[in-house]
Amino acid sequence: MKGFLTKKAIIVDDDKMIAELGKKALVKMGYDAVSFNGAEEMLSSVKLTDYDFIVSDLKMPGLSGIDLLREIRMIDEDMPVIIMTGISDLESAISAIKEGVFDYVQKPFTVDQIIFSAKRAAERRKMINQNKYYTTLLEEKNTELQRLYEGIKKRNFQLENDMQLASILQDCLYPMSDPNIPGWEVSSKIKSYEKISGDFYHFDLLDDGFSLVFADVSGHGVAASLYSAIVKAALLSVERSHSDIERIVSDINKFILNTHKKMSYSYVALVYLRYYSDSGLVKYVNCGMPSPLIIMPDGETVKLETNSPLVGIFDNSVYHEQEFTIDKDSMLFFFTDGIYEYKERDTLSGYNEFVDKIIVSKTKSLNQIIDSVFNEVISRDDFDQRDDITVLGMKLKGGK
């Protein structure tokens, strides 16, 4: 189907002269047109799916244009149908549109009028066929993604109507419980906007510490969840290839952009952090995430501001590493913007308000801090969740 159209059309009218005029108009716009003088003859003579659209008279002996529309809908519900009608039948034409007719042309019509309406119908058919094609292509490409994940086998993701299966994938992106990181307390809260989320975080335990990726994919729902799967696949393929975190993030970016050649999604904001247990050194790259908050033992606060571009947009992006050191009882807080972006709130003031809640609660235990700031937000009268929410807290228990 070159260009997603067959370049074939049908015209139906019991008046042979009108049927021939309409046929010539369609031929003029480059279509292989076939005409019939009755709906019954047309239905018994053609395979509807071989055509891009149908032009039909409204009032005909036997099956009327509305009757024909209903028959067509049972065979191909997406077929654009254009109705031809006289001035006295405008009320019937309006009723036909309510029944699902794509357009109507008023008799007597000119060739240009038929061509104008037919071009619109062809564009509609092209769009529908494109959507079907790319949906099928996405479903086929899901099989390639499945191989990248341990524990995910024989999953057939359906973007539009299979939320349950996508939820199984989401379970693989989140730890089933707060991970056990030697020397650290870890606490988190997660609230998806829909049944599945585009947020995720991932720890990798190393001989000299750990790495953490805390990520937020643009959007939410099925598309965001599938994109999260791509991001995590990229991470798993490169995270232990070397220790240079700028290069790791750059490799993740390249992996995602290469995948874009086959699947079209959006982008991801993330923080990639590496902690060295012997020295207390922390290196990080912040690619567009809300600035994580560090509370030092003396109460000093540090915000890990964005220092690098978003991931998955430009192939020439350069990522910048920064570092700091932490001591015993230091606390790190990571969160996605869904925790403070709701209603018509200003992003900056929402961020500052949420950070202040954490700072005010700093004398509590880590679990109490995470529980209290999370529950305080979602229990507000004006809370109207518009995005996935993830909050992650960490506290260094002993030594550097």
Side-chain angles (χ1 to χ4, degrees):
M1 187 185 297
K2 186 177 180 180
F4 299 98
L5 292 172
T6 64
K7 302 297 288 184
K8 296 170 67 178
I10 298 171
I11 185 162
V12 185
D13 198 305
D14 60 308
D15 187 322
K16 293 183 179 180
M17 289 184 59
I18 293 178
E20 189 62 25
L21 177 63
K23 179 179 177 179
K24 288 181 179 179
L26 298 179
V27 170
K28 184 178 179 180
M29 63 178 285
Y31 263 76
D32 179 7
V34 58
S35 63
F36 296 95
N37 299 125
E40 296 88 347
E41 179 189 6
M42 187 274 282
L43 290 170
S44 64
S45 302
V46 300
K47 181 181 178 182
L48 287 179
T49 52
D50 288 341
Y51 294 84
D52 291 337
F53 58 87
I54 296 170
V55 183
S56 173
D57 190 17
L58 178 63
K59 290 187 176 181
M60 298 181 290
L63 292 179
S64 68
I66 297 298
D67 295 329
L68 176 58
L69 171 67
R70 291 167 182 161
E71 293 291 328
I72 291 170
R73 285 288 175 267
M74 289 190 289
I75 301 170
D76 184 348
E77 63 180 0
D78 296 319
M79 175 67 70
V81 176
I82 301 168
I83 287 292
M84 299 180 292
T85 180
I87 295 176
S88 61
D89 295 325
L90 284 180
E91 186 174 339
S92 298
I94 293 172
S95 298
I97 290 176
K98 293 179 180 179
E99 287 269 355
V101 162
F102 175 76
D103 198 3
Y104 74 91
V105 177
Q106 189 173 306
K107 294 179 179 179
F109 55 80
T110 66
V111 168
D112 287 342
Q113 286 175 317
I114 285 288
I115 290 176
F116 177 78
S117 185
K119 283 183 177 179
R120 291 180 59 241
E123 283 300 314
R124 173 66 176 274
R125 187 64 166 183
K126 180 179 180 180
M127 180 188 69
I128 291 170
N129 288 340
Q130 283 177 325
N131 288 342
K132 288 180 179 178
Y133 171 78
Y134 288 119
T135 297
T136 300
L137 182 61
L138 287 176
E139 291 172 352
E140 292 171 353
K141 294 304 177 181
N142 283 333
T143 302
E144 298 175 24
L145 292 178
Q146 320 271 326
R147 300 191 190 101
L148 300 174
Y149 291 92
E150 295 180 5
I152 305 290
K153 297 179 181 179
K154 298 180 181 178
R155 305 297 186 193
N156 180 20
F157 298 110
Q158 301 174 356
L159 283 175
E160 296 182 357
N161 58 13
D162 205 344
M163 296 290 285
Q164 182 60 43
L165 195 56
S167 180
I168 295 172
L169 170 62
Q170 186 66 51
D171 289 342
C172 298
L173 299 180
Y174 274 123
M176 297 303 292
S177 60
D178 291 328
N180 180 21
I181 309 298
W184 288 81
E185 295 178 41
V186 179
S187 181
S188 64
K189 286 287 187 180
I190 300 163
K191 183 175 174 59
S192 300
Y193 177 69
E194 298 179 1
K195 190 172 184 179
I196 51 182
S197 173
D199 299 347
F200 77 90
Y201 62 88
H202 170 78
F203 285 96
D204 185 27
L205 296 181
L206 306 169
D207 292 338
D208 57 349
F210 65 83
S211 65
L212 164 66
V213 171
F214 189 81
D216 180 5
V217 167
S218 60
H220 44 74
V222 174
S225 177
L226 290 174
Y227 194 71
S228 294
I230 296 175
V231 176
K232 192 168 182 183
L235 171 64
L236 293 175
S237 71
V238 305
E239 64 180 345
R240 293 206 176 192
S241 58
H242 38 74
S243 59
D244 182 342
I245 68 173
E246 292 178 351
R247 184 177 167 191
I248 290 173
V249 176
S250 180
D251 286 349
I252 292 172
N253 184 60
K254 291 176 182 177
F255 182 105
I256 293 172
L257 289 174
N258 285 335
T259 305
H260 274 196
K261 296 175 183 177
K262 300 178 181 179
M263 304 184 73
S264 178
Y265 286 105
S266 195
Y267 61 85
V268 58
L270 62 82
V271 173
Y272 191 101
L273 179 145
R274 178 80 181 269
Y275 169 70
Y276 298 85
S277 55
D278 290 342
S279 62
L281 179 66
V282 177
K283 297 182 178 182
Y284 74 93
V285 175
N286 185 347
C287 307
M289 284 294 287
S291 303
L293 176 69
I294 314 301
I295 302 180
M296 300 298 187
D298 61 2
E300 178 188 0
T301 60
V302 178
K303 296 175 182 177
L304 308 185
E305 305 285 354
T306 292
N307 59 12
S308 297
L310 296 164
V311 175
I313 299 180
F314 304 112
D315 58 7
N316 61 348
S317 292
V318 178
Y319 299 95
H320 302 284
E321 170 190 304
Q322 291 182 250
E323 61 182 51
F324 59 94
T325 57
I326 55 176
D327 293 297
K328 175 184 177 181
D329 294 326
S330 295
M331 293 187 289
L332 289 68
F333 297 92
F334 306 85
F335 41 89
T336 55
D337 54 16
I339 192 67
Y340 57 79
E341 288 185 349
Y342 53 91
K343 289 291 186 182
E344 302 301 326
R345 297 167 58 81
D346 174 74
T347 297
L348 179 59
S349 61
Y351 169 86
N352 290 332
E353 180 182 328
F354 182 71
V355 166
D356 288 343
K357 294 180 191 296
I358 296 175
I359 295 172
V360 168
S361 305
K362 65 185 178 182
T363 58
K364 299 178 181 180
S365 71
L366 182 67
N367 283 336
Q368 288 174 333
I369 294 174
I370 296 299
D371 287 345
S372 63
V373 297
F374 182 85
N375 292 330
E376 183 178 347
V377 169
I378 66 172
S379 62
R380 289 176 59 125
D381 290 339
D382 64 343
F383 178 70
D384 177 22
Q385 185 175 0
R386 299 184 177 184
D387 200 356
D388 305 316
I389 296 174
T390 302
V391 181
L392 172 67
M394 303 180 66
K395 183 175 183 179
L396 181 56
K397 294 189 291 187
K400 277 192 173 184

